[in-house]
Amino acid sequence: MVRLVGFSLIGLSCSGLGLWYAWNLRQRLHHLHAMNRMIELLISLLQYGKSTLPECCCQLAGQVEEPYRGAFVRVYRELTEGRGNSFTEVYGRIMGEALRELPLKEQDRLLFLQCVLEQGAGDGEARVRLIRRQQELLKERIDRLETDSREKSRMAVGLGTLGGILIIIILL
């Protein structure tokens, strides 16, 4: 009886590990899509609204989900308090902290941060062009991940389950 319970727990935990990996892939894709939407909003605010970057953060905070909402609010508050820090410094620090908690790869985080931080010293149109270029890179990453995620998810669940069965057979 005890062995049966132990084998069941091994099988369930290995299957659960595969399911966890598949869930992380879906969450990563969800956050990449959210980042793409935020960049679209940012571009429209910069291009059509002629807003400054701190104003964009305030407006974006009202239109996005957590943890992005809280990060945008913190960036806006810190910049309006006038502590003397630059936008690049404040945004990079606060948004970097928020992104660290998400199931993203480091390249995903850097790509999103660079959309805003690498603006150059150009006018509004040049800034929008640079942001669009980074957005294209993000879209390519999303497309690649979407094509691979279904296969990887099924494979992860299958391998987790088969790994559990293998461990049970070895222990028998």
Side-chain angles (χ1 to χ4, degrees):
M1 179 67 170
V2 173
R3 290 183 91 188
L4 181 63
V5 171
F7 291 151
S8 298
L9 289 175
I10 289 171
L12 285 173
S13 63
C14 289
S15 296
L17 189 60
L19 288 169
W20 174 80
Y21 182 80
W23 179 82
N24 270 344
L25 281 174
R26 282 193 303 274
Q27 287 299 307
R28 179 179 175 209
L29 194 56
H30 167 77
H31 285 288
L32 289 174
H33 279 291
M35 289 175 180
N36 188 43
R37 285 189 301 272
M38 285 184 278
I39 293 169
E40 281 295 326
L41 289 169
L42 177 65
I43 289 171
S44 68
L45 290 171
L46 289 171
Q47 197 168 25
Y48 305 113
K50 304 293 183 195
S51 301
T52 64
L53 287 172
E55 291 169 349
C56 288
C57 287
C58 182
Q59 293 170 354
L60 282 170
Q63 300 178 29
V64 297
E65 62 190 36
E66 287 295 341
Y68 310 106
R69 176 181 298 129
F72 282 124
V73 168
R74 286 180 52 207
V75 168
Y76 178 73
R77 284 186 183 153
E78 193 166 320
L79 289 170
T80 55
E81 289 173 1
R83 295 182 185 172
N85 296 332
S86 69
F87 177 82
T88 303
E89 180 183 328
V90 172
Y91 181 84
R93 179 175 42 81
I94 292 175
M95 193 58 72
E97 290 171 5
L99 294 177
R100 250 183 253 122
E101 304 299 321
L102 303 176
L104 297 169
K105 293 194 173 189
E106 190 61 29
Q107 301 99 345
D108 302 335
R109 292 180 188 99
L110 291 175
L111 189 59
F112 180 68
L113 290 173
Q114 289 171 351
C115 285
V116 177
L117 298 180
E118 289 187 8
Q119 303 163 25
D123 60 354
E125 286 301 314
R127 178 182 298 149
V128 169
R129 278 193 304 274
L130 287 168
I131 292 172
R132 281 199 192 278
R133 187 182 76 220
Q134 292 297 113
Q135 183 185 28
E136 289 303 317
L137 295 173
L138 181 64
K139 285 180 181 178
E140 289 174 15
R141 180 159 301 171
I142 290 170
D143 291 341
R144 240 182 332 197
L145 187 61
E146 282 179 336
T147 57
D148 293 346
S149 69
R150 282 194 192 116
E151 293 173 21
K152 285 183 178 180
S153 293
R154 273 185 278 176
M155 188 171 32
V157 173
L159 285 174
T161 304
L162 289 175
I165 292 171
L166 180 65
I167 292 172
I168 292 170
I169 290 172
I170 291 171
L171 292 175
L172 283 176

